[in-house]
Amino acid sequence: MRTILVTGGAGFIGSNFVRMVLAEHTDCVVVNLDKLTYAGNLENLGDVMDDPNHRFVKGDICDAGLVEKVIDDNKVDAIVNFAAESHVDRSLVEPGIFIDTNVTGTLTLLKIALERKLERFVQISTDEVYGSLGVEGMFIEETPISPNSPYSASKAAADHLVSAFGHTWDLRYNITRCSNNYGEYQFPEKMIPLMINNALNDKELPVYGDGLYVRDWLYVYDHCTAIWKVLTEAQPGEIYNVGGNNEKTNLEVIGVILERLGKDKSLIRHVADRPGHDRRYAIDSGKIMSRLGWSPSVTFETGMVKTIDWYLASGKWLDNIVSGEYQKYYESMYSDR
Ligand code: NAD
Ligand code: DAU
C-alpha cells in the first residue's frame, strides 16, 4: 500500500493513526483530508506536518470534486475513512450534520473509490451500531445492527452503504467497529479528557445518571495498529470488531483519574442523564486476534497513566481548546443539567 487517503486525520484517532503510519511504515505516503471542524486541530499533527510523506489538505469529504482531485493528484491506492461527527451528545442537539458528514460524506467517498477502482476502502465504524447490551454478553460481528442515537444511526447507515457497494459492485472494503478509545489528543468533550480537564481545574465532574454505565476502553494506539492490520492483511468484505476487553463503569474510570491527579471524590456531581443512554458496550475481539494476530499493547492501567500524564504535560494544547468556542459548548451542555 503506497499512498493512502486518510480522512479526518486532524481529529483524535485520525491524527494518532497518521503519526503511527509515518513513524512505523516509512514506505507509505499519507494524504490527510480534513475539514477542520471544531474537532479537527492541526496542533494534533504538529510534529508530522513537515514530514515529506504527509500531505495535508483542508476540505470536506462531501465535496466530490475536491476528493477526486486529491485522489488523482496523489495517485491514492486506498482510503481509510475516519472523518465524522463523533460525539453522541452533539447528535442529540444537531443531528443533521451527522447525516451530512457520516452518511452523505461516506457515500461521496464510496462512489469515487469505486470509479477509481481503489485497492481498498476501510470504514472506521463503531461498536455503537450494535446498540446496547444488558448485564451479560458481548458484541460479535454478527450481532444485529440496532443503533440508538442519531450518531450511531448515521454510522450504521454508512456501514450499510459500504457493504452494499461491496455486495453490488465488488468494492474492496473492510469495516472496523471499535469500542471507546482514550489517549493523547482526544477533544475534551468526551468523558475521559473532560473529566481530566475539570479535575485539573477543581471543577465539578458531571456524571450522567448513576454513573454505572459500562464502556469497553481501548488505548488509541492499539486501535490504530488494528486498523493497519485490517488495511494491509484482511480479506476484502470482512468486518472486524476491535476492543480492549476492559469493561469499566464510568465511576471506576473517574476514580482512576482522581487518584492519579490526587483529587477528591467530592468533585463528582451526578447530573441529568443522557436521553437514550446506552447502558453497556462490550466487544468480542476474537476474530481480529485469531485471524490477523492483533492484540492490544498496553493494559488499561498503563494506558490511563500515559494518557493522564500526557494531558498534564500538554497544558498549552488543552488551554488553546478550552479557552475558545469550547466555553460556549460547555455552558450550553452543562449549565442547566
Ligand atoms: P473526532 O471528532 O476527534 O475527529 C473527527 C475528524 O473528522 C475531525 O478532525 C474533523 O475535522 C473531521 N471531519 C468532520 N467532518 C468532516 C468532513 N465533512 N470532511 C472532512 N473531515 C471532517 O473523532 P474521533 O474520535 O477521532 O473518531 C474518528 C472516527 O472513529 C469516527 O468515524 C468515529 O465514528 C470512529 N470511532 C471513534 C471512537 C472513539 O472512541 N472516539 C470509537 C470507535 C469509532
Ligand atoms: O463506543 C464507541 C464510541 O465511544 C464512539 O463511536 C464515539 O465516537 C465516542 O464518542 C464514544 O461514545 P460514548 O458516548 O460512549 O463516549 P463519551 O465519552 O461521550 O461518554 C462515555 C460515557 O461517559 C457514557 O456513558 C456517557 C458518560 N459521560 C459522558 C460525558 C461527556 C458522562 O457521564 N459525563 C459526561 O460529561
Side-chain angles (χ1 to χ4, degrees), residues 8-14 33-41 59-62 81-86 101 124-126 151 155 178-181 186 189-190 223:
F12 164 49
I13 306 173
L33 175 65
D34 195 297
K35 188 179 174 184
L36 298 181
T37 67
Y38 77 92
N41 184 353
D60 192 331
I61 59 166
C62 300
N81 182 28
F82 292 90
E85 289 294 331
S86 68
T101 288
I124 307 306
S125 186
T126 166
Y151 162 69
K155 294 294 289 185
C178 189
S179 58
N180 286 61
N181 285 215
Q186 188 168 30
E189 65 188 350
K190 306 287 168 34
H223 185 188

Side-chain angles (χ1 to χ4, degrees), residues 13 85-89 125-129 151-152 155 178-181 186 188-195 205-209 211 213-217 250 254 271 273-274 277-279 281 329-330 334 337:
I13 306 173
E85 289 294 331
S86 68
H87 192 36
V88 173
D89 290 331
S125 186
T126 166
D127 62 355
E128 296 200 14
V129 300
Y151 162 69
S152 53
K155 294 294 289 185
C178 189
S179 58
N180 286 61
N181 285 215
Q186 188 168 30
E189 65 188 350
K190 306 287 168 34
M191 198 264 278
I192 287 181
L194 185 145
M195 300 300 174
L205 310 186
V207 175
Y208 298 166
Y213 292 83
V214 173
R215 298 292 183 262
D216 173 1
W217 294 96
N250 295 335
I254 290 166
V271 299
D273 211 342
R274 172 186 282 174
H277 199 168
D278 285 340
R279 189 63 170 168
Y281 306 141
Y329 167 80
Y330 197 87
Y334 294 96
R337 196 145 193 159

Side-chain angles (χ1 to χ4, degrees), residues 191-242:
M191 198 264 278
I192 287 181
L194 185 145
M195 300 300 174
I196 293 173
N197 180 49
N198 282 17
L200 280 172
N201 292 291
D202 294 310
K203 277 177 70 174
E204 286 175 341
L205 310 186
V207 175
Y208 298 166
D210 62 8
L212 299 178
Y213 292 83
V214 173
R215 298 292 183 262
D216 173 1
W217 294 96
L218 182 70
Y219 185 53
V220 64
Y221 174 80
D222 290 327
H223 185 188
C224 295
T225 61
I227 294 165
W228 180 261
K229 281 223 169 249
V230 170
L231 173 68
T232 56
E233 296 179 31
Q235 290 297 312
E238 293 289 331
I239 296 172
Y240 283 97
N241 284 348
V242 186

